[in-house]
């Protein structure tokens, strides 16, 4: 009787929870790495480091400040792109690992007695 109850739980509630977690964990890692936010602010300046143009117009100062602001945006884009890549890679890896365990979850009630009989 216990084994039947276990099988019912395993293939209903347990399988539903395992399938939900297979999708929820990668989404949680995307949020952990702030991938949507980083993608929206990809070309923002690094740490909001913006140089002021000041008063008046001096071409040398203007070009110097423009180059500094562009460089700050490039650094911000590089750092954010690396963080996005790590976040996406981690999310895909977690999804593949969870999918493998979901596949294993489906065959576990058959696999455990088989391995027990084989002596593994």
């Amino acid at each position: 009787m216990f084994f039947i109850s276990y099988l019912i739980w395993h293939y209903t509630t347990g399988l539903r929870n395992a399938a939900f977690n297979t999708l929820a964990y990668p989404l949680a890692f995307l949020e952990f790495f702030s991938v949507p936010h980083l993608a929206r602010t990809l070309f923002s300046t690094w740490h909001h480091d913006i140089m002021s143009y000041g008063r008046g117009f001096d071409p040398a100062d203007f070009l110097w400040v423009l180059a500094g602001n562009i460089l700050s945006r490039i650094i911000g884009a590089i750092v954010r792109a690396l963080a996005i890549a790590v976040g996406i890679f981690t999310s895909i890896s977690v999804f593949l690992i969870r999918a493998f365990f979901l596949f294993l979850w489906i065959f576990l009630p058959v696999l455990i007695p088989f391995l027990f009989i084989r002596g593994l």
Side-chain angles (χ1 to χ4, degrees):
M1 189 65 170
F2 175 73
F3 184 69
I4 299 298
S5 297
Y6 169 74
L7 284 179
I8 291 171
W9 172 84
H10 185 87
Y11 286 112
T12 57
T13 305
L15 184 60
R16 182 175 48 243
N17 289 342
F20 175 78
N21 288 336
T22 299
L23 298 175
Y25 278 38
L27 293 177
F29 273 95
L30 285 177
E31 286 299 319
F32 177 77
F33 282 97
S34 303
V35 171
H37 175 71
L38 290 175
R40 281 192 308 269
T41 62
L42 183 62
F43 293 107
S44 294
T45 57
W46 179 242
H47 288 289
H48 301 288
D49 187 19
I50 300 172
M51 297 169 63
S52 175
Y53 288 99
R55 301 189 81 156
F57 181 72
D58 182 17
D61 285 342
F62 176 79
L63 291 176
W64 181 258
V65 170
L66 181 66
N69 288 341
I70 289 173
L71 184 62
S72 179
R73 290 184 186 274
I74 290 171
I75 291 171
I78 290 171
V79 171
R80 286 181 183 92
L82 288 174
I84 289 170
V86 168
I88 290 173
F89 175 77
T90 304
S91 252
I92 290 171
S93 300
V94 166
F95 175 76
L96 292 175
I97 291 168
R98 294 292 306 182
F100 171 73
F101 282 117
L102 180 63
F103 179 76
L104 191 63
W105 181 268
I106 293 170
F107 295 107
L108 203 58
V110 175
L111 191 61
I112 289 175
F114 174 74
L115 292 175
F116 186 73
I117 291 169
R118 295 278 301 169
L120 297 175

